[in-house]
Amino acid sequence: MTRRRILILSATASAINVIRSLRDSPDLQLFVADANGYAGGLYEPGLTPIVIPHTRDRDAYRASLDAIIADRNIDVLLPSSDRDVGAVVELYAAGWSPRVVAFQPSIESHQLLANKLTIAKLLMLHGLPVPRMWNNARAANYPAVVKPVSEGGGRGVSIVSDFQAAEHAIASCEVQYGPGVVLQEYIPGEVGSTYVALLLYGPHGESVAHATMRSSLTYYTWGGGGNAGYLVDEPELVELSRTIISLAGGWRGPINLEFRRHADTGKFYFIEVNCRLNGYSYLTTMNGMNFPRAMIDLLLDQHPARIGPGLKRSNFCLGFRERVVENWIACA
Amino acid sequence: MDSPADIIVCGAERQAAVSAALSRPDLHFSFLSDQAIVDGWDLPNVSIRLGKLDQLADSARAAALPCLVLCSRWLPFLEAGRPDYSLDQLLPRLATAFPDVVTPVYFSPPSDRPWILKGNRRHRPDEPVTSFNYSAVTIADPHECGSVYQPVIESRATALVMGYRDAHNCRLGIVALYQEAFAREDFLMAGESIRDPMIESVSEALVDHIEHHGYFSINWVVGRNRRSHVTSIRPVPRALFQLFRAGGIDLLSEHDKPAVLRPGLKLVVDHHYASYGP
């Protein structure tokens, strides 16, 4: 049997889900690349780890991918982090033409969806439920949320209680993450208020599968990515997500949208889009919905197994467990 | 039916809980936590009880078993009369005895240099709050850790010393921290054991000076001038039990000889998914 060679870009968070969902497939051989030689996914058993340049060093990054694709005879490219997705989208838009198959969403859709400010403004124009935003800290209602426009996973997010704190947080955010900061209404809600809709679009933009889930423990004490959670049935979120993606011009590949449910009104508010599998998407594989496998099948023009409603109803808890290793992965 | 417990773990929501359980698969661990969700339900040598901290602490005392305390919140309930390990009590005292090494803390932020906010009674969770990203007047303390300010040391490296000291000896190890995740806990993500005679000797001298008994963790920062500084000391262990075990030191067992962890032992994080709940 000829094994198809899969290059997974990034070795943390959602990449872990991809690795674990695919490693038992006898027809696949996994290669995992990350700029951080200490990334946990590089040390997973049964794969070939590779350290590559950071995406910000775009020329070196591209050259490294070209070399890996050629030397390792890669068949499928799966970027799994925000930075890798963004870099690959930009490379394709600039004319990159590697001899692999990969999802190729439009750069226009990506730029719109990946920017918290532009997507929120677009949705407001269409009357979709988005937290209020302000241009001026003195005009805002408090508490409010300050966050960079292009970071995921809760990075750089702060909840501020007055305009002085907001001004300070905005200035600090710009220093740390660059220009572009969102000052937004805080949607009240305790643990369990954060919902995620995960959708999979095919190589031609067709809707293939979806799942909705809810976190019961978050990465930070105040929120952020889910460290525990379970599947839920929320068709409203699926429809809302499809509408949002349609307004942005469509998508190809996996994509997840985060919503927050208002503690008092129960209304869902759109928070952000992440143009990849969500960080805890292994929950879906635990429930018999193997999104990474479906992604491979779609790209290889194989009929993907149906991903319907979860066959099981397992919850998940993410543990950051200590693993003793023999050697460090050598740098590129 | 659960096996009888060999060790009770208080504060089992901490990363160190599973680290301990994995280091001794031959022992049965009873995890106690006042948090709703903890890791470890899939481990065959772990049983888990969730509830109110004071009630769980009562049951831990009544069990009369070895008790591994991973979170300082439990100490007042388990060890009456224990010395105050708040940083505002400990670091100034140690800074007097070790003036060039221990970095003091203050109740007000220094006005003339960068600072970092630290939890006084225990580690403050989530991303670090520094003078670079916050104004001091608006910082809340939602987890009631207590707030103290410490001058920032521009660092080229950080290290964690963890160990156990009793009346007979001290066993410790130094781990160079290559990666941490500052989230609901300060998760250890990658590191490697090293030897550093100065850090070893001073760390041991620090715990001797305060006549500490039990587990300890000491954070060291190696400044850009290559001088090393202590920035905190806490009376709890961290998630390094397996690393110690790989180096031949079982911190869960009594030992009659001092020991220092050998260098070159490496750890990375395993992002582990399992279901939770009975």
Side-chain angles (χ1 to χ4, degrees):
Chain A
M1 173 175 57
T2 304
R3 298 169 78 194
R4 298 302 190 113
R5 294 167 160 236
I6 317 299
L7 176 59
I8 301 163
L9 299 180
S10 175
T12 59
S14 54
I16 303 293
N17 310 313
V18 177
I19 293 166
R20 302 238 174 110
S21 298
L22 296 179
R23 67 180 171 196
D24 292 334
S25 296
D27 61 327
L28 303 179
Q29 186 173 356
L30 304 185
F31 299 79
V32 179
D34 198 294
N36 175 11
Y38 302 121
L42 293 176
Y43 299 84
E44 291 280 311
L47 53 81
T48 301
I50 308 169
V51 179
I52 59 173
H54 200 282
T55 57
R56 59 175 168 262
D57 186 356
R58 197 57 56 85
D59 291 339
Y61 178 78
R62 172 177 171 165
S64 180
L65 292 186
D66 284 336
I68 295 168
I69 290 168
D71 296 346
R72 311 281 189 162
N73 294 315
I74 301 297
D75 297 300
V76 179
L77 184 64
L78 285 185
S80 63
S81 74
D82 292 327
R83 288 195 164 85
D84 288 296
V85 169
V88 168
V89 165
E90 290 178 12
L91 287 175
Y92 273 117
W96 191 45
S97 184
R99 197 178 46 81
V100 291
V101 290
F103 291 110
Q104 296 186 43
S106 77
I107 191 169
E108 292 79 16
S109 292
H110 179 261
Q111 287 175 338
L112 190 55
L113 289 163
N115 186 302
K116 295 185 179 67
L117 191 59
T118 57
I119 189 63
K121 284 181 176 177
L122 175 67
L123 301 187
M124 274 186 174
L125 275 177
H126 288 82
L128 294 179
V130 181
R132 288 180 62 189
M133 293 190 298
W134 299 278
N135 294 324
N136 182 335
R138 288 184 181 269
N141 296 334
Y142 292 96
V145 179
V146 172
K147 52 188 171 183
V149 296
S150 298
E151 293 292 320
R155 273 187 298 277
V157 177
S158 51
I159 301 169
V160 292
S161 55
D162 55 51
F163 82 91
Q164 284 175 315
E167 286 182 335
H168 201 93
I170 290 167
S172 301
C173 203
E174 289 181 329
V175 166
Q176 200 164 354
Y177 298 101
V181 177
V182 174
L183 174 61
Q184 195 173 52
E185 175 189 10
Y186 172 73
I187 304 299
E190 300 298 324
V191 172
S193 303
T194 302
Y195 289 70
V196 170
L198 172 62
L199 287 80
L200 177 60
Y201 288 83
H204 308 291
E206 68 279 23
S207 176
V208 172
H210 63 266
T212 46
M213 53 203 95
R214 181 181 182 185
S215 60
S216 48
L217 181 71
T218 53
Y219 185 65
Y220 300 106
T221 62
W222 53 264
N227 276 12
Y230 46 94
L231 294 182
V232 294
D233 291 319
E234 293 288 351
E236 174 190 349
L237 293 184
V238 176
E239 283 314 303
L240 193 48
S241 298
R242 286 187 176 135
T243 301
I244 292 169
I245 291 164
S246 177
L247 286 173
W251 189 251
R252 297 173 183 182
I255 190 166
N256 75 86
L257 292 84
E258 184 180 315
F259 298 87
R260 195 161 165 87
R261 190 169 219 166
H262 197 291
D264 301 327
T265 66
K267 180 178 176 182
F268 284 114
Y269 287 85
F270 165 81
I271 299 298
E272 66 181 41
V273 180
N274 298 295
C275 299
R276 50 170 169 78
L277 292 172
N278 57 307
Y280 63 90
S281 58
Y282 192 65
L283 171 64
T284 53
T285 303
M286 290 170 72
N287 283 275
M289 305 166 72
N290 195 327
F291 276 71
R293 182 71 225 201
M295 289 157 56
I296 299 293
D297 290 339
L298 287 166
L299 288 170
L300 293 176
D301 211 18
Q302 296 167 178
H303 191 69
R306 185 185 72 89
I307 302 183
L311 301 176
K312 301 185 289 185
R313 282 286 159 154
S314 295
N315 59 31
F316 90 98
C317 173
L318 175 60
F320 296 90
R321 296 189 176 181
E322 181 192 8
R323 170 190 275 159
V324 178
V325 297
E326 286 292 318
N327 299 297
W328 295 123
I329 304 298
C331 291
Chain B
M1 183 173 69
D2 285 340
S3 303
D6 297 303
I7 296 180
I8 294 178
V9 179
C10 298
E13 68 278 4
R14 308 291 291 180
Q15 186 188 23
V18 170
S19 166
L22 288 174
S23 76
R24 289 296 304 270
D26 58 311
L27 296 179
H28 189 90
F29 293 75
S30 176
F31 281 11
L32 305 184
S33 177
D34 64 342
Q35 304 298 301
I37 298 170
V38 301
D39 181 30
W41 288 93
D42 60 315
L43 297 178
N45 64 329
V46 167
S47 59
I48 297 177
R49 280 182 57 207
L50 307 177
K52 292 190 175 179
L53 194 153
D54 55 343
Q55 292 172 357
L56 291 172
D58 285 344
S59 69
R61 282 201 312 274
L65 288 171
C67 195
L68 179 63
V69 180
L70 303 181
C71 178
S72 300
R73 292 182 301 126
W74 290 73
L75 290 171
F77 294 89
L78 293 170
E79 300 179 22
R82 188 183 181 89
D84 186 352
Y85 278 80
S86 299
L87 295 183
D88 76 292
Q89 297 294 310
L90 207 52
L91 292 186
R93 180 154 65 109
L94 291 172
T96 302
F98 303 86
D100 297 327
V101 173
V102 176
T103 312
V105 293
Y106 308 94
F107 283 114
S108 299
S111 58
D112 57 343
R113 54 203 142 142
W115 50 261
I116 182 168
L117 178 66
K118 300 181 84 74
N120 192 24
R121 290 183 288 277
R122 56 189 167 274
H123 175 73
R124 181 186 171 98
D126 299 322
E127 288 187 322
V129 172
T130 71
S131 51
F132 300 111
N133 59 8
Y134 268 92
S135 62
V137 294
T138 57
I139 302 171
D141 181 21
H143 304 290
E144 299 180 346
C145 302
S147 296
V148 287
Y149 299 84
Q150 189 173 60
V152 168
I153 300 169
E154 285 197 49
S155 71
R156 59 187 298 272
T158 56
L160 174 64
V161 171
M162 173 172 139
Y164 187 91
R165 180 184 180 275
D166 61 22
H168 308 292
N169 61 68
C170 180
R171 293 173 290 156
L172 61 81
I174 311 171
V175 176
L177 298 178
Y178 298 153
Q179 199 158 334
E180 298 173 86
F182 301 106
R184 58 174 44 252
E185 182 181 340
D186 180 5
F187 293 112
L188 303 181
M189 305 294 272
E192 182 170 357
S193 61
I194 62 172
R195 292 296 302 263
D196 184 306
M198 177 270 191
I199 291 180
E200 284 167 28
S201 61
V202 173
S203 296
E204 192 165 345
L206 287 173
V207 292
D208 283 346
H209 186 80
I210 59 176
E211 297 182 342
H212 176 72
H213 186 108
Y215 294 98
F216 60 89
S217 300
I218 305 173
N219 284 333
W220 285 83
V221 169
V222 180
R224 295 203 182 278
N225 59 2
R226 296 181 185 268
R227 292 177 63 183
S228 300
H229 304 267
V230 169
T231 55
S232 78
I233 176 168
R234 307 285 188 187
V236 292
R238 301 288 301 278
L240 296 172
F241 287 94
Q242 288 194 94
L243 199 73
F244 272 79
R245 198 86 205 277
I249 300 176
D250 178 10
L251 287 181
L252 295 174
S253 295
E254 291 187 2
H255 209 277
D256 60 0
K257 291 179 185 173
V260 179
L261 188 64
R262 64 179 169 84
L265 299 165
K266 305 168 181 63
L267 75 97
V268 293
V269 73
D270 166 19
H271 294 81
H272 186 90
Y273 284 80
S275 292
Y276 65 89

